[in-house]
Amino acid sequence: MAISEQQIQTVLSTIIDPTTGKDYITSKVVHNIQIDQTNVSLEIVLGYPAKSVTDSIHHQVNEALGSIPGVGNINATITSKIIPHGVQRGVKLIPGVKNVIAIASGKGGVGKSATAVNLALALSAEGASVGILDADIYGPSQPQMLGITIHPESNDGKTMEPVMAHGIQAMSIGFLIDVETPMVWRGPIVTQTLQQLLNDTNWNNLDYLIIDLPPGTGDIQLTLAQKIPVTGAVIVTTPQDIALLDARKGLKMFEKVGIPIFGIIENMSTHTCSQCGHTEAIFGTGGGEKMCQDYEVDLLGALPLDIKIREQTDIGIPSVIADPEGQIAETYRLIARRVAVKVAESAEDHSELFAKIIMEDN
């Protein structure tokens, strides 16, 4: 009995991508199905980087297709393709950057910057080209977290080259000033500086640019909403009531300015004692889940209150790099894939397909 393409599609429609939660046919990621007598070949093109799960997807697909009677050799190719997605109306994309993801929090002290840098490194570990912009002009922390002590170079005297660290491109006001120099600037200068850091950096073919925002809902966040092309935002909070109160304000701000919320990351969710192994929810439980339910957004993941995260970022070797096989790094990679899926599910950007129309008065 001959094998049909319909049989293959039917089988693939029954297996679920563990990251997206959808089957491969509904997701429209299966391409170029070829049948040569008993041999089957096909391509699965994922919309998110998936280096650490490619083997498991390959095994999943092979096992499913192998259940079809009469199937011989199976050649399934698993790849990823990251494309630009839509941003706010009237805001142009940044040259060299496909997608911008803002990492925000309503208040300080919730581990937002550590989360941002580890997400950037996790996306890179999954195979994407990634950059990070430290948008906290008053208190830049990414230079220390990435272990960067050099100044960015300029090849033309006008623009800057991003500084490379652990395989990602980075830019921060902290690269340009002395570590102890206070930034005593008013709002307009701060927002202008942010735009210069963003637009005067020669980002090199990034799939994702992570913007580590300062806490709060002030001038920089407003500038981000009005002038910087943001694909979507991620809110970082702890389960603590006061942190959730401020996180809700941040979420509502993004809603008002039309920037999609990809989801919420609950940081410092639980703490496990290194001496006795007892796990305790120091800052409360269920806060992130409740907030997600209230605003109909996804809980992208929960991270523990772990001294290693603090120690590793303090010495410039974040957890994803310091212990790539550890549980914390695995959690960051899972969250990173989920964020990338949210990007992939956003409306595609088609601005480059249309000619520019110039209106002139006669």
Short mmCIF file of all heavy atoms in Angstrom, two decimals, residues 265-307:
data_model
loop_
_atom_site.label_atom_id
_atom_site.label_comp_id
_atom_site.label_asym_id
_atom_site.label_seq_id
_atom_site.Cartn_x
_atom_site.Cartn_y
_atom_site.Cartn_z
N ILE A 265 7.20 37.05 33.83
CA ILE A 265 8.17 36.14 34.46
C ILE A 265 8.14 36.41 35.96
O ILE A 265 8.31 37.55 36.40
CB ILE A 265 9.59 36.36 33.91
CG1 ILE A 265 9.65 36.06 32.42
CG2 ILE A 265 10.59 35.50 34.67
CD1 ILE A 265 10.96 36.43 31.77
N GLU A 266 7.87 35.38 36.73
CA GLU A 266 7.88 35.51 38.18
C GLU A 266 9.27 35.14 38.69
O GLU A 266 9.67 33.97 38.63
CB GLU A 266 6.81 34.62 38.81
CG GLU A 266 6.65 34.87 40.31
CD GLU A 266 5.55 34.02 40.91
OE1 GLU A 266 5.84 32.85 41.29
OE2 GLU A 266 4.41 34.50 41.01
N ASN A 267 9.99 36.13 39.17
CA ASN A 267 11.35 35.91 39.67
C ASN A 267 11.30 35.72 41.19
O ASN A 267 10.35 36.15 41.85
CB ASN A 267 12.22 37.12 39.31
CG ASN A 267 13.70 36.78 39.31
OD1 ASN A 267 14.08 35.61 39.17
ND2 ASN A 267 14.54 37.77 39.47
N MET A 268 12.33 35.07 41.73
CA MET A 268 12.41 34.82 43.18
C MET A 268 11.16 34.09 43.66
O MET A 268 10.62 34.38 44.74
CB MET A 268 12.62 36.13 43.95
CG MET A 268 13.77 36.97 43.43
SD MET A 268 13.99 38.48 44.39
CE MET A 268 15.06 39.43 43.30
N SER A 269 10.69 33.15 42.86
CA SER A 269 9.42 32.47 43.14
C SER A 269 9.50 31.64 44.41
O SER A 269 8.61 31.68 45.26
CB SER A 269 9.05 31.60 41.95
OG SER A 269 7.80 31.01 42.13
N THR A 270 10.56 30.87 44.53
CA THR A 270 10.77 30.04 45.73
C THR A 270 12.25 30.06 46.09
O THR A 270 13.11 30.41 45.27
CB THR A 270 10.35 28.58 45.51
OG1 THR A 270 11.08 28.04 44.39
CG2 THR A 270 8.86 28.48 45.25
N HIS A 271 12.55 29.68 47.32
CA HIS A 271 13.94 29.56 47.76
C HIS A 271 14.14 28.19 48.40
O HIS A 271 13.35 27.77 49.26
CB HIS A 271 14.30 30.64 48.77
CG HIS A 271 15.65 30.44 49.41
ND1 HIS A 271 16.82 30.56 48.70
CD2 HIS A 271 16.00 30.10 50.68
CE1 HIS A 271 17.85 30.32 49.50
NE2 HIS A 271 17.37 30.04 50.70
N THR A 272 15.20 27.50 47.96
CA THR A 272 15.55 26.20 48.54
C THR A 272 16.81 26.35 49.38
O THR A 272 17.85 26.80 48.88
CB THR A 272 15.77 25.14 47.44
OG1 THR A 272 14.56 25.01 46.68
CG2 THR A 272 16.13 23.80 48.05
N CYS A 273 16.72 26.01 50.63
CA CYS A 273 17.86 26.14 51.54
C CYS A 273 19.00 25.22 51.10
O CYS A 273 18.78 24.02 50.88
CB CYS A 273 17.43 25.80 52.97
SG CYS A 273 18.79 25.86 54.16
N SER A 274 20.18 25.78 50.96
CA SER A 274 21.33 24.99 50.51
C SER A 274 21.81 24.03 51.59
O SER A 274 22.57 23.10 51.31
CB SER A 274 22.47 25.93 50.11
OG SER A 274 22.86 26.74 51.21
N GLN A 275 21.38 24.23 52.85
CA GLN A 275 21.83 23.38 53.94
C GLN A 275 20.89 22.19 54.18
O GLN A 275 21.32 21.05 54.27
CB GLN A 275 21.94 24.21 55.23
CG GLN A 275 22.93 25.36 55.14
CD GLN A 275 24.34 24.90 54.86
OE1 GLN A 275 24.81 23.93 55.46
NE2 GLN A 275 25.02 25.57 53.94
N CYS A 276 19.56 22.48 54.23
CA CYS A 276 18.62 21.41 54.58
C CYS A 276 17.74 20.97 53.42
O CYS A 276 17.05 19.95 53.51
CB CYS A 276 17.74 21.84 55.74
SG CYS A 276 16.57 23.16 55.32
N GLY A 277 17.72 21.76 52.34
CA GLY A 277 16.93 21.39 51.18
C GLY A 277 15.47 21.79 51.25
O GLY A 277 14.69 21.51 50.33
N HIS A 278 15.08 22.47 52.33
CA HIS A 278 13.68 22.90 52.46
C HIS A 278 13.38 24.03 51.48
O HIS A 278 14.15 24.99 51.37
CB HIS A 278 13.42 23.37 53.89
CG HIS A 278 12.05 23.98 54.08
ND1 HIS A 278 10.89 23.24 53.99
CD2 HIS A 278 11.67 25.27 54.33
CE1 HIS A 278 9.85 24.04 54.19
NE2 HIS A 278 10.30 25.27 54.40
N THR A 279 12.26 23.92 50.77
CA THR A 279 11.85 24.95 49.81
C THR A 279 10.74 25.79 50.41
O THR A 279 9.76 25.26 50.95
CB THR A 279 11.36 24.32 48.50
OG1 THR A 279 12.46 23.61 47.90
CG2 THR A 279 10.88 25.38 47.52
N GLU A 280 10.91 27.11 50.31
CA GLU A 280 9.94 28.02 50.92
C GLU A 280 9.65 29.18 49.96
O GLU A 280 10.55 29.68 49.28
CB GLU A 280 10.50 28.57 52.23
CG GLU A 280 9.49 29.37 53.04
CD GLU A 280 10.04 29.71 54.42
OE1 GLU A 280 11.26 29.51 54.65
OE2 GLU A 280 9.26 30.18 55.26
N ALA A 281 8.39 29.58 49.90
CA ALA A 281 7.98 30.73 49.07
C ALA A 281 8.09 31.98 49.92
O ALA A 281 7.12 32.44 50.54
CB ALA A 281 6.54 30.53 48.58
N ILE A 282 9.28 32.57 49.93
CA ILE A 282 9.58 33.69 50.82
C ILE A 282 8.69 34.90 50.52
O ILE A 282 8.23 35.60 51.43
CB ILE A 282 11.06 34.08 50.71
CG1 ILE A 282 11.94 32.94 51.24
CG2 ILE A 282 11.36 35.37 51.47
CD1 ILE A 282 13.42 33.17 51.08
N PHE A 283 8.44 35.16 49.24
CA PHE A 283 7.68 36.35 48.85
C PHE A 283 6.21 36.05 48.56
O PHE A 283 5.53 36.86 47.94
CB PHE A 283 8.33 37.00 47.63
CG PHE A 283 9.72 37.53 47.91
CD1 PHE A 283 10.83 36.94 47.33
CD2 PHE A 283 9.90 38.61 48.76
CE1 PHE A 283 12.10 37.42 47.59
CE2 PHE A 283 11.17 39.09 49.03
CZ PHE A 283 12.28 38.50 48.45
N GLY A 284 5.72 34.90 48.98
CA GLY A 284 4.33 34.55 48.73
C GLY A 284 4.20 33.63 47.53
O GLY A 284 5.17 33.33 46.84
N THR A 285 2.98 33.19 47.27
CA THR A 285 2.74 32.27 46.16
C THR A 285 1.54 32.71 45.33
O THR A 285 0.62 33.36 45.84
CB THR A 285 2.46 30.84 46.67
OG1 THR A 285 1.30 30.86 47.52
CG2 THR A 285 3.65 30.29 47.43
N GLY A 286 1.58 32.34 44.07
CA GLY A 286 0.42 32.53 43.20
C GLY A 286 0.22 33.94 42.67
O GLY A 286 -0.72 34.17 41.91
N GLY A 287 1.08 34.87 43.06
CA GLY A 287 0.87 36.25 42.64
C GLY A 287 0.99 36.44 41.14
O GLY A 287 0.16 37.11 40.51
N GLY A 288 2.03 35.84 40.55
CA GLY A 288 2.22 35.96 39.10
C GLY A 288 1.09 35.32 38.33
O GLY A 288 0.59 35.87 37.34
N GLU A 289 0.66 34.13 38.78
CA GLU A 289 -0.45 33.44 38.11
C GLU A 289 -1.74 34.25 38.18
O GLU A 289 -2.49 34.34 37.21
CB GLU A 289 -0.66 32.07 38.75
CG GLU A 289 0.48 31.09 38.48
CD GLU A 289 0.23 29.74 39.13
OE1 GLU A 289 -0.84 29.58 39.75
OE2 GLU A 289 1.09 28.85 38.99
N LYS A 290 -2.00 34.85 39.34
CA LYS A 290 -3.21 35.66 39.51
C LYS A 290 -3.18 36.87 38.58
O LYS A 290 -4.20 37.21 37.93
CB LYS A 290 -3.31 36.13 40.96
CG LYS A 290 -4.50 37.04 41.25
CD LYS A 290 -5.83 36.30 41.09
CE LYS A 290 -6.99 37.06 41.71
NZ LYS A 290 -7.18 38.41 41.21
N MET A 291 -2.02 37.51 38.48
CA MET A 291 -1.89 38.66 37.59
C MET A 291 -2.10 38.26 36.14
O MET A 291 -2.75 38.97 35.36
CB MET A 291 -0.51 39.30 37.76
CG MET A 291 -0.28 40.56 36.93
SD MET A 291 1.31 41.31 37.32
CE MET A 291 1.44 42.49 35.97
N CYS A 292 -1.57 37.11 35.76
CA CYS A 292 -1.76 36.61 34.40
C CYS A 292 -3.24 36.36 34.11
O CYS A 292 -3.73 36.66 33.02
CB CYS A 292 -0.95 35.33 34.18
SG CYS A 292 0.83 35.59 34.12
N GLN A 293 -3.94 35.79 35.07
CA GLN A 293 -5.36 35.53 34.89
C GLN A 293 -6.14 36.84 34.76
O GLN A 293 -7.04 36.96 33.92
CB GLN A 293 -5.90 34.72 36.07
CG GLN A 293 -5.38 33.30 36.13
CD GLN A 293 -5.75 32.59 37.42
OE1 GLN A 293 -6.43 33.15 38.28
NE2 GLN A 293 -5.27 31.36 37.58
N ASP A 294 -5.79 37.82 35.58
CA ASP A 294 -6.51 39.10 35.57
C ASP A 294 -6.37 39.83 34.24
O ASP A 294 -7.29 40.50 33.79
CB ASP A 294 -6.01 40.00 36.70
CG ASP A 294 -6.42 39.49 38.08
OD1 ASP A 294 -7.32 38.61 38.14
OD2 ASP A 294 -5.85 39.95 39.09
N TYR A 295 -5.17 39.70 33.62
CA TYR A 295 -4.90 40.46 32.39
C TYR A 295 -4.85 39.57 31.15
O TYR A 295 -4.50 40.04 30.06
CB TYR A 295 -3.60 41.25 32.54
CG TYR A 295 -3.71 42.36 33.56
CD1 TYR A 295 -3.22 42.18 34.85
CD2 TYR A 295 -4.32 43.57 33.24
CE1 TYR A 295 -3.33 43.19 35.80
CE2 TYR A 295 -4.43 44.58 34.19
CZ TYR A 295 -3.95 44.38 35.46
OH TYR A 295 -4.06 45.39 36.40
N GLU A 296 -5.16 38.30 31.32
CA GLU A 296 -5.21 37.36 30.20
C GLU A 296 -3.90 37.32 29.42
O GLU A 296 -3.87 37.43 28.20
CB GLU A 296 -6.39 37.69 29.27
CG GLU A 296 -7.74 37.54 29.96
CD GLU A 296 -8.90 37.82 29.02
OE1 GLU A 296 -8.68 38.43 27.96
OE2 GLU A 296 -10.03 37.43 29.35
N VAL A 297 -2.80 37.21 30.16
CA VAL A 297 -1.49 37.03 29.55
C VAL A 297 -0.88 35.76 30.12
O VAL A 297 -1.37 35.20 31.11
CB VAL A 297 -0.55 38.23 29.81
CG1 VAL A 297 -1.11 39.49 29.16
CG2 VAL A 297 -0.34 38.45 31.31
N ASP A 298 0.20 35.29 29.50
CA ASP A 298 0.80 34.02 29.90
C ASP A 298 1.87 34.21 30.97
O ASP A 298 2.61 35.20 30.97
CB ASP A 298 1.44 33.34 28.69
CG ASP A 298 0.41 32.79 27.72
OD1 ASP A 298 -0.77 32.68 28.12
OD2 ASP A 298 0.78 32.49 26.57
N LEU A 299 1.94 33.24 31.87
CA LEU A 299 3.07 33.15 32.78
C LEU A 299 4.17 32.41 32.03
O LEU A 299 4.07 31.20 31.78
CB LEU A 299 2.69 32.41 34.06
CG LEU A 299 3.78 32.32 35.14
CD1 LEU A 299 4.12 33.70 35.68
CD2 LEU A 299 3.34 31.39 36.27
N LEU A 300 5.21 33.11 31.65
CA LEU A 300 6.26 32.54 30.81
C LEU A 300 7.17 31.59 31.58
O LEU A 300 7.81 30.72 30.99
CB LEU A 300 7.11 33.66 30.19
CG LEU A 300 6.33 34.59 29.25
CD1 LEU A 300 7.18 35.82 28.91
CD2 LEU A 300 5.93 33.87 27.98
N GLY A 301 7.22 31.76 32.90
CA GLY A 301 8.06 30.88 33.70
C GLY A 301 8.32 31.49 35.07
O GLY A 301 8.04 32.67 35.31
N ALA A 302 8.85 30.68 35.95
CA ALA A 302 9.19 31.12 37.31
C ALA A 302 10.62 30.73 37.62
O ALA A 302 11.07 29.63 37.27
CB ALA A 302 8.23 30.50 38.32
N LEU A 303 11.34 31.65 38.25
CA LEU A 303 12.73 31.42 38.59
C LEU A 303 12.91 31.48 40.10
O LEU A 303 12.21 32.23 40.78
CB LEU A 303 13.62 32.48 37.93
CG LEU A 303 13.74 32.32 36.41
CD1 LEU A 303 14.01 33.65 35.74
CD2 LEU A 303 14.84 31.32 36.08
N PRO A 304 13.84 30.71 40.64
CA PRO A 304 14.02 30.67 42.09
C PRO A 304 14.83 31.86 42.61
O PRO A 304 15.52 32.54 41.85
CB PRO A 304 14.79 29.36 42.29
CG PRO A 304 15.63 29.25 41.05
CD PRO A 304 14.76 29.77 39.94
N LEU A 305 14.73 32.09 43.90
CA LEU A 305 15.64 33.00 44.58
C LEU A 305 16.87 32.16 44.92
O LEU A 305 16.86 31.36 45.85
CB LEU A 305 14.99 33.55 45.85
CG LEU A 305 15.87 34.44 46.74
CD1 LEU A 305 16.32 35.68 46.00
CD2 LEU A 305 15.14 34.82 48.02
N ASP A 306 17.91 32.33 44.12
CA ASP A 306 19.09 31.47 44.23
C ASP A 306 20.34 32.33 44.27
O ASP A 306 20.53 33.19 43.40
CB ASP A 306 19.14 30.50 43.04
CG ASP A 306 20.14 29.38 43.25
OD1 ASP A 306 21.33 29.68 43.49
OD2 ASP A 306 19.75 28.20 43.15
N ILE A 307 21.18 32.10 45.25
CA ILE A 307 22.39 32.92 45.42
C ILE A 307 23.31 32.82 44.21
O ILE A 307 24.04 33.75 43.89
CB ILE A 307 23.13 32.52 46.71
CG1 ILE A 307 24.23 33.56 47.02
CG2 ILE A 307 23.71 31.12 46.59
CD1 ILE A 307 24.90 33.33 48.36
#
